[in-house]
Structure formats: C-alpha cells, structure tokens
Amino acid sequence: MRRRHLSPSLELPLADRHEKETRQAWVYRCVRERIVAGALRRGDRLPSTRTLAERWGVSRGIVELAFEQLTLEGYVASRVGAGTEVVADLCAPVASPHATPDAGMPAVPLPENAASIALKTGRSVDAALFSLPAWRRHMNRALRAVTPELLADTDPRGYLPLRESIARYVRMTRGIACDAAEIVVTTGIRHAIDLVTDVLANDSTEFYLEDPGYKNLASLLKAPPQRCVSVPVDDEGFVVEVADRAGKGRPGIAYVTPAHQAPLGTTMSINRRVQLLEWAAARDVWIVEDDYDSEFSYGSAPLPALKAIDTHARVIHCSSFNKSLFPSLRIGYLLAPPALLVRIAGQRSASGRANSLIEQMALASYIDAGDFARHLRASRSVYLRRRNLLLDALRTRMPVPCRITGEHAGFHLVLWLPPHVEEAALVATLRAQGVFVEGLEEFTRSQAIAPGLVLGYAALDDARLPEIATRIADAIAAA
C-alpha cells in the first residue's frame, strides 16, 4: 500500500516575522496559517521540533510551546514515536477554489573537455549522491504494479498518484495550497516553458526577462528581440518599476527565479513579490516562476513560493526533479492557474512529449516512502560542505577580498571581481588552464554589470575544491 503522507524530515517554508511578534507567536502563526490555507492538511506530518528549531533559527522549547498551543486548539496531535500530524480537516473536497476536478478532464488527449574542471551552472547536481539501490526498489515495485489499464491511461496531466504526491510535497515545502488536479507533469522546466509560451504567446506578447538571467531564455521562449524587455535585478530581485516603464504597461509573460535568482543568487524580498504580483494583475502579465533549486537552502528554511501568495492566479509555478535527483530522469511539473489548465494540458498532449509511466510510478513511490526527503537531506549536507570548502579556500587564497553573493542556497555562487579585472580575459585564462568557469557577462542581454564569475560547485569532488580556488586566486592576482 502506498504511504499517503510526507516524511516528517521535509521542512516548512519560513514566513517573515511581524514587528514586535514573539518567536513563539511567530512559529505558531506560520504553522497555523498553512493549516488554515490548506497547504497542510489532515494526516500531513510536521517536521520534528528539533528539525524545525534548527531550520527556523529558534530554540526547541519555543517550537514545543507553539506545538502545544496548536494541539490545545485542535490543529495538530502528537503521538509517541509517530511525531506530530495535522488533525484539523479545514479544506474538505473544495480546498482550492481554483482546482479542476480530475473527473472534469477528458480521458482522451486534449487539443569540454573531459579532463577540465567544470564549474558550469548547467552542471548542477552530483548524480553519484543518488541511491541507485533505492531507485531500483521503486522501479521494480512499479513494474510489478503496472496494469494494462494504467498503460492505456491518457490523462494529459500525467499519472494521478504522482500528481497527488507532488501536490502534497509542494503544500508542505513550498506553502502552495493546491490539489493534484492543478498539476501537469512535464519533462522538466524547459518543457513547462514551452507549454506556457505555446498557449499564451502571440505576435504582440511582451516577454519580461531578468537581466542577467537564464542563458538562451529568449530563444527558448521563441521571443523576437524587439519584444524582449530586459529587466534588471537588484538586491531584492526583479525590478518591477523598470519592467513597467520599459514595457509601457503592455501585457505579456514575465519569467522570474524568486527563490535563488539565476545567476546572481538573490532571493526576491516579500515586498518585491507583492509588488510583482500586483503589477502582473494590473497589466495582464502572466508570471512563470522557475523554482529550480529551492530544496537547497543552507542557512534556514526558504521563503514560501511566489505562487503561495498569488491571490490573483497569475503565477505558473514550475520545478523539476531533474535538478534535485539526476538530470536524465526527465520529470518535472507545473502548477497551472485555472484559466490555463485545460489549454496547457491539451498542449502537453498535442506536443507528443510525455513521461515514462513506469518512472512516474517509481517517483511517486519514492516520494511517498520518504526516500526523496532522505536524499534531499543527505545531498544538502554534501553541497553545504562543498560550498564551505570553496568559500574557505577562496577567502584564504584571494590576494584581495572579493564580494561573494548567492552562497546561501542552490548550486552556485557569484564571485565579484575587482573593478580593474577584465572578466572575459580572466575567463579565457582559466579555461585555458582547464578550469571551465562562466563570467556574468555571459548571462546578460543588455544590462551593464560589474565583472564576476559564476561558480557552480555542487558536482565537484571535495578534494578538487582547494586546487580550483588556488587557480582562480592566482589568475585574479595575475590579472
């Protein structure tokens, strides 16, 4: 029998603390609000008080007192040896006003060099950390459980139990109140972007793109240069005023990476998120939220997703298991607003790009058994160690101190260079030495930006990191 609820080792996103709010009231409010909103539902198990205290940066006693209050009010219940789970049933069958019931969907389809050291952002995860024996167990379980009826299933959104598992996962970890009916399984974030643009874009669509931002995004969006609005990114993220002024208030599609901006690593502030959502609603702009590495937050729990506070139903939330497990898995997902769900599902079917049923079944089992949570916890620990090794080595070896940003999360960080260093020449020098790095200029379209190196560290062996830092420091000193 499939386990129906998430492992307690998954974490909850962290909301901002109100002015003059005590820590106990803050923890209580964060959990209660997610229960009331339907992001946490009856039967969902909460993280342990120890885990929550560590990730939220408060004492365990404060979390225990908040849990006691939630217990007294009937929101949660604790059992010895079983942890704390939600017992309040506040969402019933209509938890999300935007959900489209499964029964309402038609059953037929709707209309380098190998010797070099690569610090590329595209080479994100270390596949060696993935447990193949565990995956084989779930693949074998799927092969034993598959039936001819399942093989003939033509739901354009993907395998229902996997969508249920994903919905529980994003409710718990990203704070998004959603149901399986709102999930569309994709082959990854690029597939999700294809679906969105095929459904939404026309000859007059404006594309509001972060600059610097994701490489080759304009070509992926099939966006003519004259309709691409280059939007700068500051310390709070996507600069909405510039987007509105440069786009002259025209409707369109905005692509953002709020959790860990690619490539700068900025986390979009809550004020900027609210401003972005209000602008999108006022200007008829759809927002594509690329949540590509939110599982890997090293200092504290991440903020809830942008989609979690989207009261106007303007956000299409996209993520991928290819980034967190292994690249060749080719399974991702998007959460579609109700106005777009049927059209996006139909376009997925018409595109002919589908996912293996067996792997969808295996992934659902993998998530529900708690193996996904265990993998994330173990991988996050390894990536944190590698980040620290690289940071310590850089700071020890750099001839002059350089600012570093984006190191709080994800798979890469930005090393800002001294103003007099020519970025392109430094990148060329390092590549000639077998250290494949990327310069910030490679991620820009029209915005001027200070020189910097984007260093992806997650897939590198620990032993190589001091050597890499030494080569980078020596090259900067020579420049």
mmCIF file of all heavy atoms in Angstrom, residues 283-305:
data_model
loop_
_atom_site.group_PDB
_atom_site.id
_atom_site.type_symbol
_atom_site.label_atom_id
_atom_site.label_comp_id
_atom_site.label_asym_id
_atom_site.label_seq_id
_atom_site.Cartn_x
_atom_site.Cartn_y
_atom_site.Cartn_z
ATOM 1 N N ARG A 283 -1.527 44.668 -15.144
ATOM 2 C CA ARG A 283 -1.080 44.780 -16.539
ATOM 3 C C ARG A 283 -1.376 43.533 -17.366
ATOM 4 O O ARG A 283 -0.937 43.438 -18.509
ATOM 5 C CB ARG A 283 0.430 45.061 -16.580
ATOM 6 C CG ARG A 283 0.871 46.323 -15.865
ATOM 7 C CD ARG A 283 0.204 47.547 -16.427
ATOM 8 N NE ARG A 283 0.828 48.790 -15.931
ATOM 9 C CZ ARG A 283 0.325 49.985 -16.093
ATOM 10 N NH1 ARG A 283 -0.823 50.137 -16.743
ATOM 11 N NH2 ARG A 283 0.954 51.058 -15.621
ATOM 12 N N ASP A 284 -2.100 42.577 -16.807
ATOM 13 C CA ASP A 284 -2.422 41.343 -17.512
ATOM 14 C C ASP A 284 -1.146 40.616 -17.940
ATOM 15 O O ASP A 284 -0.986 40.215 -19.097
ATOM 16 C CB ASP A 284 -3.307 41.615 -18.729
ATOM 17 C CG ASP A 284 -3.889 40.327 -19.327
ATOM 18 O OD1 ASP A 284 -3.972 39.322 -18.598
ATOM 19 O OD2 ASP A 284 -4.240 40.331 -20.525
ATOM 20 N N VAL A 285 -0.240 40.439 -16.993
ATOM 21 C CA VAL A 285 1.016 39.731 -17.223
ATOM 22 C C VAL A 285 0.967 38.384 -16.510
ATOM 23 O O VAL A 285 0.577 38.309 -15.341
ATOM 24 C CB VAL A 285 2.221 40.556 -16.713
ATOM 25 C CG1 VAL A 285 3.504 39.738 -16.773
ATOM 26 C CG2 VAL A 285 2.361 41.841 -17.507
ATOM 27 N N TRP A 286 1.326 37.332 -17.223
ATOM 28 C CA TRP A 286 1.464 36.006 -16.611
ATOM 29 C C TRP A 286 2.900 35.844 -16.114
ATOM 30 O O TRP A 286 3.844 36.244 -16.800
ATOM 31 C CB TRP A 286 1.135 34.906 -17.608
ATOM 32 C CG TRP A 286 -0.294 34.915 -18.051
ATOM 33 C CD1 TRP A 286 -0.792 35.441 -19.208
ATOM 34 C CD2 TRP A 286 -1.417 34.384 -17.346
ATOM 35 N NE1 TRP A 286 -2.159 35.284 -19.263
ATOM 36 C CE2 TRP A 286 -2.578 34.626 -18.124
ATOM 37 C CE3 TRP A 286 -1.569 33.728 -16.125
ATOM 38 C CZ2 TRP A 286 -3.844 34.232 -17.729
ATOM 39 C CZ3 TRP A 286 -2.839 33.334 -15.724
ATOM 40 C CH2 TRP A 286 -3.961 33.587 -16.513
ATOM 41 N N ILE A 287 3.052 35.258 -14.932
ATOM 42 C CA ILE A 287 4.377 35.091 -14.338
ATOM 43 C C ILE A 287 4.756 33.613 -14.364
ATOM 44 O O ILE A 287 4.026 32.763 -13.841
ATOM 45 C CB ILE A 287 4.404 35.588 -12.880
ATOM 46 C CG1 ILE A 287 4.026 37.071 -12.819
ATOM 47 C CG2 ILE A 287 5.773 35.357 -12.255
ATOM 48 C CD1 ILE A 287 3.839 37.584 -11.395
ATOM 49 N N VAL A 288 5.892 33.314 -14.970
ATOM 50 C CA VAL A 288 6.458 31.963 -14.906
ATOM 51 C C VAL A 288 7.478 31.961 -13.775
ATOM 52 O O VAL A 288 8.507 32.632 -13.852
ATOM 53 C CB VAL A 288 7.128 31.567 -16.236
ATOM 54 C CG1 VAL A 288 7.775 30.187 -16.109
ATOM 55 C CG2 VAL A 288 6.105 31.562 -17.362
ATOM 56 N N GLU A 289 7.176 31.220 -12.700
ATOM 57 C CA GLU A 289 8.074 31.110 -11.549
ATOM 58 C C GLU A 289 8.911 29.842 -11.698
ATOM 59 O O GLU A 289 8.403 28.736 -11.581
ATOM 60 C CB GLU A 289 7.280 31.057 -10.242
ATOM 61 C CG GLU A 289 8.162 30.861 -9.017
ATOM 62 C CD GLU A 289 7.374 30.684 -7.720
ATOM 63 O OE1 GLU A 289 6.176 30.325 -7.788
ATOM 64 O OE2 GLU A 289 7.949 30.896 -6.647
ATOM 65 N N ASP A 290 10.200 30.015 -11.949
ATOM 66 C CA ASP A 290 11.133 28.897 -12.065
ATOM 67 C C ASP A 290 11.714 28.633 -10.677
ATOM 68 O O ASP A 290 12.536 29.390 -10.175
ATOM 69 C CB ASP A 290 12.230 29.250 -13.071
ATOM 70 C CG ASP A 290 13.185 28.093 -13.336
ATOM 71 O OD1 ASP A 290 13.231 27.159 -12.521
ATOM 72 O OD2 ASP A 290 13.899 28.139 -14.355
ATOM 73 N N ASP A 291 11.283 27.539 -10.051
ATOM 74 C CA ASP A 291 11.673 27.211 -8.680
ATOM 75 C C ASP A 291 12.755 26.127 -8.706
ATOM 76 O O ASP A 291 12.662 25.121 -8.015
ATOM 77 C CB ASP A 291 10.435 26.723 -7.920
ATOM 78 C CG ASP A 291 10.551 26.894 -6.416
ATOM 79 O OD1 ASP A 291 10.969 27.971 -5.974
ATOM 80 O OD2 ASP A 291 10.221 25.942 -5.682
ATOM 81 N N TYR A 292 13.800 26.355 -9.482
ATOM 82 C CA TYR A 292 14.707 25.288 -9.892
ATOM 83 C C TYR A 292 15.551 24.677 -8.773
ATOM 84 O O TYR A 292 15.971 23.528 -8.870
ATOM 85 C CB TYR A 292 15.625 25.787 -11.012
ATOM 86 C CG TYR A 292 16.646 26.822 -10.581
ATOM 87 C CD1 TYR A 292 17.976 26.476 -10.377
ATOM 88 C CD2 TYR A 292 16.288 28.150 -10.385
ATOM 89 C CE1 TYR A 292 18.919 27.415 -9.991
ATOM 90 C CE2 TYR A 292 17.214 29.082 -10.007
ATOM 91 C CZ TYR A 292 18.533 28.723 -9.805
ATOM 92 O OH TYR A 292 19.454 29.658 -9.410
ATOM 93 N N ASP A 293 15.858 25.405 -7.692
ATOM 94 C CA ASP A 293 16.752 24.828 -6.672
ATOM 95 C C ASP A 293 16.329 25.177 -5.247
ATOM 96 O O ASP A 293 17.158 25.228 -4.344
ATOM 97 C CB ASP A 293 18.201 25.262 -6.915
ATOM 98 C CG ASP A 293 18.427 26.761 -6.702
ATOM 99 O OD1 ASP A 293 17.441 27.478 -6.453
ATOM 100 O OD2 ASP A 293 19.583 27.213 -6.795
ATOM 101 N N SER A 294 15.035 25.391 -5.036
ATOM 102 C CA SER A 294 14.576 25.842 -3.719
ATOM 103 C C SER A 294 14.797 24.809 -2.622
ATOM 104 O O SER A 294 14.795 25.146 -1.439
ATOM 105 C CB SER A 294 13.088 26.208 -3.787
ATOM 106 O OG SER A 294 12.301 25.065 -4.071
ATOM 107 N N GLU A 295 14.992 23.525 -2.999
ATOM 108 C CA GLU A 295 15.217 22.490 -1.969
ATOM 109 C C GLU A 295 16.547 22.664 -1.248
ATOM 110 O O GLU A 295 16.740 22.110 -0.167
ATOM 111 C CB GLU A 295 15.192 21.087 -2.596
ATOM 112 C CG GLU A 295 13.828 20.639 -3.086
ATOM 113 C CD GLU A 295 13.621 20.944 -4.547
ATOM 114 O OE1 GLU A 295 14.461 21.669 -5.132
ATOM 115 O OE2 GLU A 295 12.632 20.471 -5.121
ATOM 116 N N PHE A 296 17.453 23.444 -1.847
ATOM 117 C CA PHE A 296 18.805 23.514 -1.310
ATOM 118 C C PHE A 296 19.073 24.888 -0.713
ATOM 119 O O PHE A 296 19.702 25.751 -1.318
ATOM 120 C CB PHE A 296 19.816 23.152 -2.402
ATOM 121 C CG PHE A 296 19.617 21.760 -2.916
ATOM 122 C CD1 PHE A 296 18.879 21.525 -4.064
ATOM 123 C CD2 PHE A 296 20.102 20.670 -2.216
ATOM 124 C CE1 PHE A 296 18.663 20.229 -4.519
ATOM 125 C CE2 PHE A 296 19.892 19.378 -2.658
ATOM 126 C CZ PHE A 296 19.166 19.154 -3.813
ATOM 127 N N SER A 297 18.535 25.085 0.494
ATOM 128 C CA SER A 297 18.722 26.314 1.253
ATOM 129 C C SER A 297 19.570 25.959 2.467
ATOM 130 O O SER A 297 19.215 25.051 3.226
ATOM 131 C CB SER A 297 17.367 26.881 1.687
ATOM 132 O OG SER A 297 17.521 28.028 2.479
ATOM 133 N N TYR A 298 20.685 26.652 2.672
ATOM 134 C CA TYR A 298 21.674 26.209 3.654
ATOM 135 C C TYR A 298 21.592 26.903 5.003
ATOM 136 O O TYR A 298 21.951 26.329 6.017
ATOM 137 C CB TYR A 298 23.083 26.395 3.072
ATOM 138 C CG TYR A 298 23.265 25.698 1.748
ATOM 139 C CD1 TYR A 298 23.672 26.399 0.620
ATOM 140 C CD2 TYR A 298 22.992 24.342 1.612
ATOM 141 C CE1 TYR A 298 23.819 25.770 -0.604
ATOM 142 C CE2 TYR A 298 23.126 23.702 0.390
ATOM 143 C CZ TYR A 298 23.549 24.422 -0.715
ATOM 144 O OH TYR A 298 23.677 23.797 -1.923
ATOM 145 N N GLY A 299 21.133 28.148 5.043
ATOM 146 C CA GLY A 299 21.121 28.858 6.309
ATOM 147 C C GLY A 299 19.860 28.629 7.109
ATOM 148 O O GLY A 299 19.889 28.407 8.311
ATOM 149 N N SER A 300 18.721 28.659 6.448
ATOM 150 C CA SER A 300 17.428 28.487 7.114
ATOM 151 C C SER A 300 16.438 27.991 6.085
ATOM 152 O O SER A 300 16.765 27.852 4.902
ATOM 153 C CB SER A 300 16.940 29.808 7.718
ATOM 154 O OG SER A 300 16.712 30.765 6.694
ATOM 155 N N ALA A 301 15.223 27.721 6.517
ATOM 156 C CA ALA A 301 14.192 27.283 5.576
ATOM 157 C C ALA A 301 13.909 28.394 4.570
ATOM 158 O O ALA A 301 13.984 29.577 4.902
ATOM 159 C CB ALA A 301 12.923 26.916 6.323
ATOM 160 N N PRO A 302 13.591 28.054 3.327
ATOM 161 C CA PRO A 302 13.340 29.075 2.311
ATOM 162 C C PRO A 302 12.002 29.776 2.525
ATOM 163 O O PRO A 302 11.133 29.278 3.249
ATOM 164 C CB PRO A 302 13.320 28.269 1.007
ATOM 165 C CG PRO A 302 12.856 26.913 1.420
ATOM 166 C CD PRO A 302 13.453 26.683 2.791
ATOM 167 N N LEU A 303 11.850 30.926 1.901
ATOM 168 C CA LEU A 303 10.551 31.580 1.868
ATOM 169 C C LEU A 303 9.551 30.712 1.115
ATOM 170 O O LEU A 303 9.945 29.913 0.257
ATOM 171 C CB LEU A 303 10.652 32.932 1.161
ATOM 172 C CG LEU A 303 11.317 34.091 1.913
ATOM 173 C CD1 LEU A 303 11.507 35.267 0.964
ATOM 174 C CD2 LEU A 303 10.494 34.508 3.109
ATOM 175 N N PRO A 304 8.252 30.837 1.403
ATOM 176 C CA PRO A 304 7.268 30.151 0.559
ATOM 177 C C PRO A 304 7.408 30.603 -0.890
ATOM 178 O O PRO A 304 7.938 31.668 -1.181
ATOM 179 C CB PRO A 304 5.924 30.593 1.159
ATOM 180 C CG PRO A 304 6.241 31.035 2.548
ATOM 181 C CD PRO A 304 7.631 31.600 2.491
ATOM 182 N N ALA A 305 6.918 29.780 -1.791
ATOM 183 C CA ALA A 305 6.992 30.113 -3.214
ATOM 184 C C ALA A 305 6.174 31.362 -3.519
ATOM 185 O O ALA A 305 5.238 31.719 -2.793
ATOM 186 C CB ALA A 305 6.485 28.943 -4.045
#
